[in-house]
Amino acid sequence: MDYINLGKSGLRVPKYILGTVPFSGTNGFEAAGNIQENEASRMVDMSLDAGINMFDTANLYSQGNAEKVLGAAIRGKRDKVLLTSKTGFPFDEHQNSRGASRMNLLKSIDESLMRLGTDYLDLYFVHLWDGQTPVEETVETMNDLIKAGKIRHWGVSNYSGWALAKTHTFAEQNGKIPPATQQIYYTPEAREAEYELLPAGAELGVSSMIWSPLGEGLLNGKIGRGKEAPKDTRQGGGWPEPWIQDEERLYQVIDALEEVAANHNASVPQIAYAWVRDRPNVGPIVIAARNEAQLQENIASYKIKLKQDEHSLIEKAARPVPIYPNWHRAMSAPEMASPSEIGYLKGYKDSMGIK
């Protein structure tokens, strides 16, 4: 396993991180999995053996129960692991148990630390943009948590490009510690992050950590043309996400993944992980598994090296349309692009048939 610095920080993290959405499987997360403490402990050990020492969770997952399962799984191993958690989505009926306010951040971190059985987190995320709370309040509170020793670093998740820039700019201009990373959704089929988020992260020095590279189960290898999702999967179990902008486009991506998978005697998920892992501006990616066999398969994808023509085959299947100002810039002055966006502008030119 390779290790990379998280943004501009000194924290070195593995390229693969184990996510815990399938842990517990309660309180609305039944379709995601049902991993309990004993199996979770074995999966933590399997991950550590493979060099994956970072584990990602959130108070949202199973309404805190995923944190409890993870906490039990790492008991006696805290010095060997890096822990993340998140807050921001509504947690209960209280009007202040949500968002990025000082009140919610201070309350949530103490509750998460208790459930995880630790006195600090290596990384703490605001789980979604809170447009009702001043960014100053969020940045200052996260810095206070760092000074108090409750967190080592902080990040944001599911922000837009301007919200990320606003947050980062306020922190830097006011002598505060900015977010080290953003956690964003990006898959071979869902490529919207290429418009703003991935280049913005690279330009600001904010690592782009990818959540659900398999599209919340869309790219699990069990879905395709004429193949409905099995009921024992997220997509077959009533999971509401993600939004699919074009079903035919999704099938074209799956077709390309299946073709490349056949070349490597690999599975569709393994190829999807390998493709996302190697994309421009991508930092660590969060993998997940419903059982130990899946975890072993997903970890093995790290050894798969795709050829350039295989990368291109998958890339062309769902290249984002060149929306303004991208089509204008790709057409008029692509040579003025920042290094972080050159590859995307080239794709837009190809889509428009420009030499």
Side-chain angles (χ1 to χ4, degrees):
M1 183 58 54
D2 294 309
Y3 298 87
I4 56 177
N5 279 71
L6 196 69
K8 291 181 179 178
S9 80
L11 182 65
R12 292 187 62 76
V13 303
K15 187 69 174 176
Y16 277 10
I17 295 167
L18 183 64
T20 61
V21 169
F23 284 19
S24 177
T26 56
N27 297 322
F29 280 73
E30 288 79 4
N34 185 33
I35 297 171
Q36 301 304 316
E37 293 179 7
N38 288 341
E39 186 171 19
S41 181
R42 292 194 298 271
M43 292 174 78
V44 166
D45 288 340
M46 289 171 61
S47 299
L48 291 173
D49 288 344
I52 300 171
N53 66 343
M54 194 169 200
F55 301 90
D56 178 71
T57 191
N59 65 357
L60 174 70
Y61 305 161
S62 293
Q63 209 72 6
N65 287 337
E67 289 181 318
K68 292 179 181 178
V69 171
L70 177 59
I74 63 165
R75 194 171 294 132
K77 306 166 189 171
R78 182 63 182 96
D79 61 335
K80 299 179 181 178
V81 306
L82 301 172
L83 286 181
T84 89
S85 193
K86 315 177 193 72
T87 189
F89 281 92
F91 190 76
D92 55 38
E93 295 303 315
H94 194 281
Q95 72 271 19
N96 284 308
S97 293
R98 64 195 66 198
S101 67
R102 177 176 291 272
M103 179 174 284
N104 187 53
L105 292 173
L106 294 179
K107 177 176 180 288
S108 295
I109 186 63
D110 286 343
E111 293 173 346
S112 287
L113 291 176
M114 184 176 297
R115 287 189 288 262
L116 287 162
T118 185
D119 56 5
Y120 73 96
L121 292 180
D122 299 281
L123 176 62
Y124 194 41
F125 286 97
V126 179
H127 209 164
L128 79 168
W129 170 249
D130 178 1
Q132 306 300 309
T133 297
V135 68
E136 297 89 337
E137 183 174 332
T138 302
V139 172
E140 288 170 355
T141 304
M142 285 300 205
N143 276 249
D144 288 345
L145 291 179
I146 291 174
K147 291 175 184 176
K150 292 186 177 182
I151 67 175
R152 300 293 190 253
H153 303 273
W154 73 285
V156 299
S157 183
N158 303 309
Y159 275 36
S160 61
W162 69 262
L164 174 67
K166 181 177 181 179
T167 302
H168 190 276
T169 299
F170 171 81
E172 280 210 325
Q173 291 184 349
N174 289 276
K176 305 294 184 180
I177 300 171
T181 186
Q182 59 173 339
Q183 194 174 109
I184 57 177
Y185 181 64
Y186 182 57
T187 83
E189 183 270 335
R191 305 265 297 280
E192 300 91 332
E194 294 178 8
Y195 289 131
E196 290 280 348
L197 290 171
L198 286 164
E203 294 295 322
L204 294 169
V206 176
S207 175
S208 291
M209 182 186 296
I210 309 303
W211 65 264
S212 201
L214 301 186
E216 303 192 80
L218 286 175
L219 306 179
N220 63 5
K222 300 175 182 178
I223 297 172
R225 298 178 190 276
K227 295 189 295 184
E228 292 188 7
K231 291 185 178 180
D232 63 344
T233 65
R234 266 200 264 186
Q235 295 302 318
W239 195 256
E241 295 182 348
W243 176 68
I244 304 170
Q245 57 178 291
D246 185 334
E247 194 169 86
E248 175 57 29
R249 182 169 175 269
L250 169 64
Y251 292 148
Q252 289 173 1
V253 172
I254 293 172
D255 289 343
L257 291 170
E258 289 177 340
E259 181 177 338
V260 176
N263 296 342
H264 291 265
N265 192 28
S267 68
V268 165
Q270 286 180 316
I271 300 303
Y273 280 133
W275 187 86
V276 172
R277 179 197 69 212
D278 293 340
R279 290 293 289 162
N281 305 314
V282 166
I285 69 173
V286 181
I287 68 171
R290 297 171 69 96
N291 53 56
E292 294 169 55
Q294 274 189 8
L295 178 58
Q296 193 65 51
E297 177 184 309
N298 294 343
I299 291 173
S301 70
Y302 198 73
K303 297 180 180 179
I304 296 175
K305 304 298 180 185
L306 301 182
K307 299 176 182 177
Q308 185 54 53
D309 63 331
E310 294 173 329
H311 268 289
S312 298
L313 177 69
I314 298 168
E315 191 278 327
K316 291 177 182 178
R319 181 182 299 144
V321 296
I323 59 174
Y324 177 83
N326 295 298
W327 68 260
H328 193 268
R329 296 179 59 228
M331 184 180 292
S332 304
E335 71 281 357
M336 295 177 66
S338 298
S340 64
E341 56 182 352
I342 286 175
Y344 307 135
L345 290 183
K346 181 180 183 302
Y348 301 144
K349 286 183 65 176
D350 290 345
S351 293
M352 292 186 291
I354 298 174
K355 300 296 184 182

